[in-house]
Amino acid sequence: MTNLLFRDIDIVDGTGAPRFRGDVLIDRGRIAKIAGPRTLNAARIVDAAPGSVLAPGFIDMHAHSDLHLLTDPDHFPKISQGVTTEVLGQDGLSYAPIDDATLAVLRRQIAGWNGNPANLDFSWRSVADYLERLDQGITPNVAYLVPQGTLRLLVVGSEQRAATVAEVRRMQELLAQGLREGAVGMSSGLTYTPGMYADTGELAALCEVVADFGGFYAPHTRSYGAGALEAYSEMIELARSTGCALHLTHATMNFGVNRGRAPEFLALVDAARAEGCDITLDTYPYLPGATTLSALLPSWAMSGGPDAALARIDDPALRARIALDVDVNGSDGCHGVTVEWETIQISGVANAELDRYVGKTIDQIADESGVAPVAVFFGLLRRDRFATTILQHVGHEENVRAIMVHPGHMGGSDALLVGDRPHPRAWGTFPRYLGQYVRELGVLELEDCVHHLTGRPADRLRLSDRGLVFTGYAADLVLFDPAAVADTATFDNPKQQARGIQHVLVNGEFAIENGAPTGTLAGRALRMDSARKETY
């Protein structure tokens, strides 16, 4: 590596402190020295445009790049935003640890999140194997959460039932092994099967293991709709009772029942933090959410896995029961509310025969087809075999703004990178924070926002040498123009590179140079220090 110098540049160091002017010398992948402006020299000088800011690379606390990093390691949608580290294994479902049978189910069940690439070598089985596979060549750094739903699938299966004492013990053992191998914590998807079948006691037993290893628990809670406050309360009580650090991922208050209720949620968080609970959260700066169409099904309909669910859809009596839940009673898969079909927009399909529906809402398709919306729902599930992805237009701006200013807040894109029209957060989350919510709306000050996106998440991940522009730290850096940085991705045209980001470095090497990708694969898996090796 040739040493290089960012000369006479405004530095926002990730601590939240005011920016300052200086030189930053990079050598052998690290920040070798920080000094006053025009006092250092190097083999290569980077003269930034006037007004540019050098900051730590952004840390995406909620990413769904688990397979995309292997099939497209350049990872341009995220690296072009200035993202230098991502947290994978989210929402309780991912690809390690696995066995052959579990992998077969997962590839189908979360194809809408990650695709189901036919030619990808899925030869890994453990967390260690998966992290080593990522080490073979990726652009950003990654950290990994052991997915609780995958543990349950391995040990209990897809059935809706309580785990036995022996099964809970086995899940604890698998979780401990994943943490020893470098995972930073555990995730859950408590509106997704089979993770949602776990009761609070089962989750507590697993959180105790996470706490013993010094990791954190990142739950997708049981509801972001009708039961949102109760769902958050359950997770906060887990933190109290087990001593486990809690990170509330994509912490939203959605659907009509929660308009303007973010202060009630934040009051729960603040009360627990005041008692000493270690609680943080992340959000994306958009109103709509994104998930799979099959996620709207009630939990009982998904028991047994995708084939069992498709069989229920084909059974007239069970199909009528599902329709009653989604249209009248409220589906737990839809956060306890009835599905509002006008808010459900198709963002991607696997079956090319369904391409014409991408970008349309279920209501629009129903009107064009002359059938009921629930019939469209069943038809898409059948024909796309659960691979359909959706946008769900159910958020509220006042909630988004209230939550993003919280002192425990961090940024997370929750980006699905598959489909023809993915959520624009896949390309625009971090520039949108800096452009819309800092420069245009003034919701956050620049230094505070950078702290939310860098230093604060690095602390949550226990990364002792990342997330700050400090001497000795890894040179994960982004150079951007705060007067120009902006997301350009839209819901109609989501795959658009952001403006105003000039350079991105990962471990001291240019991943983006003058706005263009370099193809350099300098990222690696960041493993949690596993010095604590309690026996399970």
Side-chain angles (χ1 to χ4, degrees), residues 85-297:
T85 298
E86 294 190 308
V87 184
L88 310 180
Q90 299 285 356
D91 291 336
L93 292 167
S94 189
Y95 305 91
I98 51 171
D99 57 20
D100 291 350
T102 299
L103 175 62
V105 174
L106 286 168
R107 289 184 64 174
R108 290 184 57 193
Q109 183 171 340
I110 53 176
W113 293 359
N114 300 305
N116 188 9
N119 298 321
L120 181 62
D121 176 9
F122 285 89
S123 57
W124 71 84
R125 289 296 176 267
S126 67
V127 170
D129 292 343
Y130 177 62
L131 297 181
E132 288 170 7
R133 179 68 171 279
L134 291 168
D135 277 338
Q136 293 175 16
I138 52 177
T139 301
N141 304 304
V142 299
Y144 187 72
L145 296 166
V146 178
Q148 170 259 331
T150 299
L151 295 180
R152 203 171 210 274
L153 191 60
L154 271 166
V155 176
V156 182
S158 299
E159 293 74 27
Q160 184 175 10
R161 66 171 178 83
T164 67
V165 172
E167 287 168 340
V168 171
R169 183 67 176 174
R170 180 57 181 152
M171 286 187 277
Q172 288 181 311
E173 292 169 351
L174 290 169
L175 172 58
Q177 185 62 33
L179 293 167
R180 288 190 193 96
E181 292 171 353
V184 297
M186 180 182 75
S187 76
S188 283
L190 301 177
T191 65
Y192 302 122
T193 58
M196 68 192 305
Y197 301 146
D199 60 24
T200 305
E202 180 179 323
L203 297 175
L206 297 173
C207 284
E208 289 169 359
V209 178
V210 177
D212 282 345
F213 279 83
F216 67 93
Y217 176 39
H220 167 123
T221 69
R222 297 191 194 273
S223 177
Y224 295 93
L229 292 178
E230 293 80 4
Y232 283 125
S233 295
E234 179 192 13
M235 298 300 103
I236 291 169
E237 186 54 39
L238 277 173
R240 283 195 183 100
S241 64
T242 65
C244 185
L246 178 66
H247 182 78
L248 297 168
T249 194
H250 48 50
T252 58
M253 292 286 288
N254 286 337
F255 304 92
V257 296
N258 288 320
R259 182 181 296 274
R261 299 188 70 188
E264 297 175 60
F265 158 57
L266 295 175
L268 292 174
V269 173
D270 288 341
R273 283 165 60 100
E275 295 171 12
C277 293
D278 182 359
I279 302 177
T280 54
L281 53 93
D282 69 63
T283 67
Y284 46 82
Y286 297 86
L287 300 187
T291 187
T292 58
L293 187 64
S294 61
L296 304 180
L297 287 166

Side-chain angles (χ1 to χ4, degrees), residues 68 76-77 80 347-348 416-428 488-498:
H68 190 269
F76 188 62
S80 64
S347 59
L416 305 182
L417 296 167
V418 299
D420 293 331
R421 290 178 63 170
H423 197 299
R425 64 194 184 194
W427 290 74
T488 65
T490 65
F491 288 98
D492 290 333
N493 195 6
K495 297 181 180 182
Q496 299 297 309
Q497 182 178 358

